[in-house]
Amino acid sequence: MHLPRQLGPLHDLPATPEAYDAVLADVVEQALARITPEGSLEHPDADDDIGDTSLGVTSLLALAWQRTADPRLPEAVRRSLAFHLRERVYTEDNPGYPNLTVRGRGLPYARYVLAPGAHPIGDWPSTVWALLQTVDVLDLADGLVDDAQRAELAELARGYWRWLTEATFFNPQEAGNQAIGCVVGGLMLARHLPPEDGETVRERALALYRDRIRAHRVPDRGALLPPEHGGAYDNNYGPISLSFLAQAHRTSGEPMFAEDGDALARYIDARLPNGGFDQGGPRYSEQHSGFESVLGLRYFGARIGSDLGRYRGDTRWGRHAVKADGGVDGHFAWMLVWQIQDTTPWHRTPSTAPARHQLRAGSVSVAFDRRMTPALVEAGGTYHLPAAVNRQHGFGPVLDGFLYCRPTGEVRVRDVRVGTLAAKLVGKPVVGRDHVLRHVRSLYVTDGTRLWVTVAVERLDGTPYLLAGLPYAADDGDRVRRVAEGEIAAAGGLRLTHPARPGADHFDARAELTQEQAAFALAADPRGYGDPDAGWRHLVSSSAYEAEPAPDAPPHLHVFAVRYGPGGAFTPSFEGDLTVRTEAFTAVIGGDDAHGVPGLVLTGR
């Protein structure tokens, strides 16, 4: 089976003016065939996320007219605008909406579901989206919209802004992408208001970002990130936040948006392997965005000098939102408008600067979590996740069901590059159940095709093994295929084990079950509302590679050595404290320097 949404790298989609004109031409033909006598451009199957969709298609028609002057479009734009203003603007409080701070204000808002009281929880983001569609149309209205309709549209945008910032709690879903989107809407609206009013809205938008978003960023892997649905990062919504930061910077020129976008971009670059696969998040785990991410990945990829477009998006939404039949849906249409307007080219080469939470070369990647334990290992086209044993997750030595990977003290990291080799040495103080402090040293070396991992720890009593990853997925052209094994060799014995017990909290890689499905099964709340990251942490055991100690290690150490990816015989040798010799390199792990960072000398062979 294939993962349903991990499709092609987003930078593989053509981004030339001609390609975008072809996209708009297709939208135009669909829209002109669809428009109803009332002027609606909504997809016939639209139900939820509907309050902004007709207006979104209208904005695409307006952009197409600006680029082509197609004479069929002005009338369609005016009719569809009249439909939205007449049929999709609500001023009476939605029954059951829980996030109002004042009632009966009569301010306009957009509904997530049109029927009164039907799933009103989504009205705040739907109103953000409607505000963004409205200001996009205002930006594109020259020559299309008469003065009366334009004034009505500007007043509607001002009303949306007031509802979002005066009549409700700000960002009630704790969703960074929604909150930054609201700020962008205010910044874009300000340009369409009289100077004094516009400056007031602009300052309010900047203050909301500084005080309600930026001041509440959460740390992960050395970065401060806009919180997403209560968590640090979501691989669906995080890149969408990056796109909003790009538009905020494009619109306002404020340095803080560039600074925060750079930080988020470097974080994404560090967590994203060469092949672009990613998983994890507090709202979705493998449901990737598509065109919604392009602007941010392209804009900030160029700023930080790295190939963020390798991100595997859902390319079924590669250009715009679609329904099951492939027909255009206007949801999030502003992202297509903005990415067409922005001419930043894709940066297609990796950054060469070492990153603390990543080791990457060629087709090999290791992404490290905040504890400097691998969060994802990619080699030989296969992706390995941290395995689980006895409710503990990670990569590292295991003895009697205890996993030695959680640091008790500062983690030290040394990066070395020699020729085609790249290496990272991670030193951790770890306390076992016996309360003895031990030092785990983990060496990761890659030549761009293979990955060698050597883990050394003071000799343990008993029979330890190395928990060496859960084989989960592999590249398969433009798809990602579920797998249950990888290409691994070990200096000692190697076995692939699977959970002996059934149940949602035991993940068997041989089953046709995605990580996201398993995570939601263990989450406290339903899919889409539960936290899959929290659910996955309840996993008791999983399929796992287990490597026995190398037989010829120095007597005072247990040393584990594995190689991921293709290769022949694997017969590393070890001596002293500690020299590692393999078919590709010799690594000498020395004593700590004056700052406590372990020494590493790497030589190719």
Side-chain angles (χ1 to χ4, degrees), residues 22 114 150 155 169 201 222-223 256 263 273 285 299 314 317 363 370 389 450 481 488 499 502 517 546 548 560 568 589:
L114 298 181
R150 185 170 189 158
E155 191 59 28
F169 289 99
V201 170
M256 65 180 173
S285 212
Y299 188 83
D314 187 342
W317 279 39
S363 61
R370 59 185 176 81
V389 58
R450 299 163 290 180
R481 176 172 44 87
I488 301 183
Q517 290 169 328
E546 300 175 356
E548 295 178 358
F560 309 88
I589 301 174

Side-chain angles (χ1 to χ4, degrees), residues 475-527:
D475 291 337
D476 188 12
D478 285 340
R479 304 297 302 273
V480 177
R481 176 172 44 87
R482 280 279 285 105
V483 298
E485 60 183 6
E487 194 170 5
I488 301 183
L494 180 69
R495 55 188 175 267
L496 176 60
T497 65
H498 301 286
R501 298 173 59 185
D505 51 356
H506 301 277
F507 187 82
D508 192 326
R510 298 169 298 183
E512 291 194 358
L513 186 70
T514 67
Q515 186 271 348
E516 180 178 83
Q517 290 169 328
F520 273 116
L522 295 169
D525 295 303
R527 186 183 187 280

Side-chain angles (χ1 to χ4, degrees), residues 383-390 392-396 398 403 465-472 482-486 488 493-500 506-510 536 539-548 562 564:
Y383 302 102
H384 298 81
L385 306 182
V389 58
N390 197 27
Q392 302 161 91
H393 301 198
F395 288 72
V398 177
L403 174 60
Y465 64 87
L466 180 74
L467 195 66
L470 157 65
Y472 179 68
R482 280 279 285 105
V483 298
E485 60 183 6
I488 301 183
L494 180 69
R495 55 188 175 267
L496 176 60
T497 65
H498 301 286
H506 301 277
F507 187 82
D508 192 326
R510 298 169 298 183
W536 188 251
L539 195 68
V540 174
S541 67
S542 73
S543 298
Y545 275 107
E546 300 175 356
E548 295 178 358
V562 295
Y564 300 82

Side-chain angles (χ1 to χ4, degrees), residues 203-217:
E203 288 304 316
R204 174 68 170 147
L206 295 176
L208 283 169
Y209 184 77
R210 283 193 303 266
D211 301 338
R212 303 296 296 276
I213 302 172
R214 197 181 205 207
H216 296 278
R217 288 176 298 167

Side-chain angles (χ1 to χ4, degrees), residues 392-470:
Q392 302 161 91
H393 301 198
F395 288 72
V398 177
L399 178 64
D400 297 332
F402 184 86
L403 174 60
Y404 291 83
C405 75
R406 295 171 299 279
T408 306
E410 190 64 26
V411 179
R412 311 287 183 157
V413 178
R414 165 104 44 196
D415 284 278
V416 173
R417 288 183 178 263
V418 175
T420 61
L421 297 172
K424 187 181 295 287
L425 176 62
V426 177
K428 294 183 184 180
V430 176
V431 173
R433 287 205 175 102
D434 57 6
H435 291 208
V436 174
L437 181 69
R438 294 178 173 84
H439 292 83
V440 177
R441 293 174 291 173
S442 301
L443 174 65
Y444 306 85
V445 182
T446 180
D447 62 358
T449 302
R450 299 163 290 180
L451 172 70
W452 292 264
V453 179
T454 305
V455 179
V457 63
E458 292 91 342
R459 181 163 287 270
L460 301 162
D461 295 330
T463 310
Y465 64 87
L466 180 74
L467 195 66
L470 157 65

